[in-house]
Amino acid sequence: RMLGLAMTIRGLHIPVIAMVNGWCMGGGHELALWCDIVIASDDAVLGQTGAKVGACPTVGATQYLPRIVGEGRALDMLMTGRAVDATEAKLIGLADRLVPAGQALEAAVGLAEQMASFPQLAMLSDRASTIAQWDYTEAEAIDREIEGAKPAFEEQFQSGASRFVGGVGRH
């Protein structure tokens, strides 16, 4: 069931935000690995502790963990069962944003609302291209990125560029 849920998350055509409060281990951590953005409370602890009890991940941790944190760190976590605190999780890419304890849900909802206000074609094209790039050579992935961006460029770029020239989005 967990694998089906994880595969569903990755197959969605909308962004998926994980919210982590407290401990996030094993299958729960594997589900977070499948999400697009992970917001964690500063008291969060994430990991794959199965090595300590003879359990193996079965929801993709051996595939996604090395893609996110690198092979050496993934092997360290998987083979030793070592969990990481929120600070280390952010440092190595397991958490994208840290928030004070108890505020992860509020931060995730706020981010979702912000993202929902963006022009959707470009954002969803970027998401799809980023997820699909693992399946192709570099040249094929870039070609697919260009093809996938054409509808957004044709339908949204000109109005977005005009808004930018008018001062929206400048830092």
Side-chain angles (χ1 to χ4, degrees), residues 19-26 28-29 41 43-47 49 52 81-85:
M19 182 266 317
V20 177
N21 271 320
W23 290 77
C24 183
M25 301 292 160
H29 180 242
S41 62
D43 66 348
V45 180
L46 298 89
T49 56
K52 294 178 180 181
R82 185 174 75 82
V84 298
D85 66 18

Side-chain angles (χ1 to χ4, degrees), residues 48-52 73-83:
Q48 294 294 317
T49 56
K52 294 178 180 181
R73 286 189 181 111
L75 288 170
D76 175 28
M77 291 178 70
L78 290 164
M79 295 188 312
T80 68
R82 185 174 75 82

Side-chain angles (χ1 to χ4, degrees), residues 156-170:
Q156 293 177 340
F157 178 73
Q158 296 303 322
S159 64
S162 296
R163 286 193 312 275
F164 181 78
V165 168
V168 175
R170 291 187 182 180

Side-chain angles (χ1 to χ4, degrees), residues 22-41:
W23 290 77
C24 183
M25 301 292 160
H29 180 242
E30 286 183 282
L31 289 177
L33 293 173
W34 287 75
C35 294
D36 301 319
I37 298 171
V38 176
I39 297 176
S41 62

Side-chain angles (χ1 to χ4, degrees), residues 104-141:
L105 178 58
E106 181 182 336
V109 170
L111 178 60
E113 290 172 346
Q114 178 186 21
M115 292 169 66
S117 74
F118 295 159
Q120 295 297 295
L121 269 176
M123 182 182 64
L124 296 177
S125 173
D126 289 348
R127 179 185 187 273
S129 181
T130 300
I131 290 171
Q133 58 89 24
W134 293 105
D135 299 332
Y136 301 95
T137 67
E138 182 180 358
E140 290 170 323

